[in-house]
Amino acid sequence: MAELDITAVARSSGLPASTLRYYEERGLIASTGRNGLKRVFDEGVLERLALIAVGRAAGFTLDDIARMFGPDGRPAPDRAVLTAKADELDATIADLTAVRDGLRHAAACPAPSHLECPTFRGILAAAGTLRAPGKRVRR
Amino acid sequence: MAELDITAVARSSGLPASTLRYYEERGLIASTGRNGLKRVFDEGVLERLALIAVGRAAGFTLDDIARMFGPDGRPAPDRAVLTAKADELDATIADLTAVRDGLRHAAACPAPSHLECPTFRGILAAAGTLRAPGKRVRR
DNA sequence: CCTTGACCTCAAGTCAGCTTGAAGTGACAG
DNA sequence: CTGTCACTTCAAGCTGACTTGAGGTCAAGG
């Protein structure tokens, strides 16, 4: 398999080298060795990085993701955990959909008083159960 | 209008008093005065907090949200901003939907090698364009 | 009068996921 | 042999949204 230096991995993955070092430190990826000081990565790291990206997009923490790889390096996720996260995503998607509709409504409705509009009040009433999404990542 | 102390607002809104003080400091809400040391809030603050919750769920920062209220205290959001955020949410929802499907697939597929499954590989291939959602908030 | 308890302020701490900066090393070009 | 330059390490800093802790104030009850 082809060997890549950190710059090549950065280029192919779109991640900065600093992130790759950080991921290695966190045990998410591993370099296959060194060429002098320099890390050497196996090509397979790219697939692993893609898997990590999916995990992150799903809302898993880096620690969660690290635990999904067996000591052998193969992904071995707990199916129950995946299902639970999928359910969580369903709830999040429902929330975001409602909020998106609310935003579009507020943008379209010319009245200064969204506060009186039933559509909008419905969303406000549900606001208490909303989860905030936090910051979306770079890119 | 009824006047509420911070504990009453906390109880009705579900937010801790520390958060309410923080929001006031950030200019998101205002107390109508003091009763000795103690903050006094107008009932209307509850609606405002609901609005803030929706904004947060939409992914606006507290600063963004603060800017959406005119100096008069009335919400005066920029419609273009709302629309842009709605579009962003559409993209996020699409991502999350794909990821959710990927998770369910991975949970269901008994093969040790999701990596060979076309469904899964499709998601992996798209991984580069995924935005990570960041941490969902308390509750 | 004294305690209790709810509120207050202000500074500092927390968390996740990186980024940045200073200072060092090693391979290869000239 | 000497640069140069891409890489390295390690510690510290950053962002956003809060939380926590120490120490202070004040009204009411016993």
Side-chain angles (χ1 to χ4, degrees), chain B residues 14-65:
Chain B
L15 295 171
S18 63
T19 301
L20 297 175
R21 282 190 278 266
Y22 177 68
Y23 279 7
E24 186 183 40
E25 190 187 317
R26 296 293 304 270
L28 289 159
I29 58 177
S31 48
T32 49
R34 294 289 176 121
N35 177 7
L37 265 190
K38 309 185 179 184
R39 285 169 181 79
V40 174
F41 293 94
D42 182 286
E43 220 179 25
V45 79
L46 294 176
E47 192 156 69
R48 186 142 172 162
L49 286 170
L51 236 15
I52 292 168
V54 172
R56 297 249 311 115
F60 288 109
T61 65
L62 296 185
D63 275 357
D64 288 339
I65 296 169

Side-chain angles (χ1 to χ4, degrees), chain A residues 47 51 56-58 79 83 86-87 90 92 96 99-100 104 106-107 109 120-121 124 128 132-133 135-137 139, chain B residues 47 51 56-58 79 83 86-87 90 92 96 99-100 104 106-107 109 121 124 127-128 132-133 135-137 139:
Chain A
E47 192 155 70
L51 237 15
R56 298 248 310 116
R79 287 163 205 281
T83 301
D87 291 348
D90 276 332
T92 299
L96 292 184
V99 169
R100 177 205 57 189
R104 288 217 203 281
C109 179
F120 202 77
R121 294 203 71 89
L124 276 196
K135 49 190 165 193
R136 325 247 161 232
V137 158
R139 163 179 300 285
Chain B
E47 192 156 69
L51 236 15
R56 297 249 311 115
R79 287 163 205 281
T83 300
D87 291 347
D90 275 333
T92 300
L96 292 184
V99 168
R100 176 204 58 190
R104 289 217 204 282
C109 177
R121 293 204 71 89
L124 276 196
K135 50 192 166 194
R136 325 249 160 232
V137 158
R139 161 182 304 286

Side-chain angles (χ1 to χ4, degrees), chain B residues 72-130:
Chain B
D72 55 342
R74 295 172 62 76
D78 177 339
R79 287 163 205 281
V81 168
L82 298 185
T83 300
K85 187 60 81 175
D87 291 347
E88 221 181 288
L89 287 181
D90 275 333
T92 300
I93 289 166
D95 283 352
L96 292 184
T97 301
V99 168
R100 176 204 58 190
D101 292 345
L103 291 185
R104 289 217 204 282
H105 174 80
C109 177
S113 48
H114 302 305
L115 299 177
E116 281 152 31
C117 169
T119 308
F120 202 77
R121 293 204 71 89
I123 292 164
L124 276 196
T129 71
L130 294 174

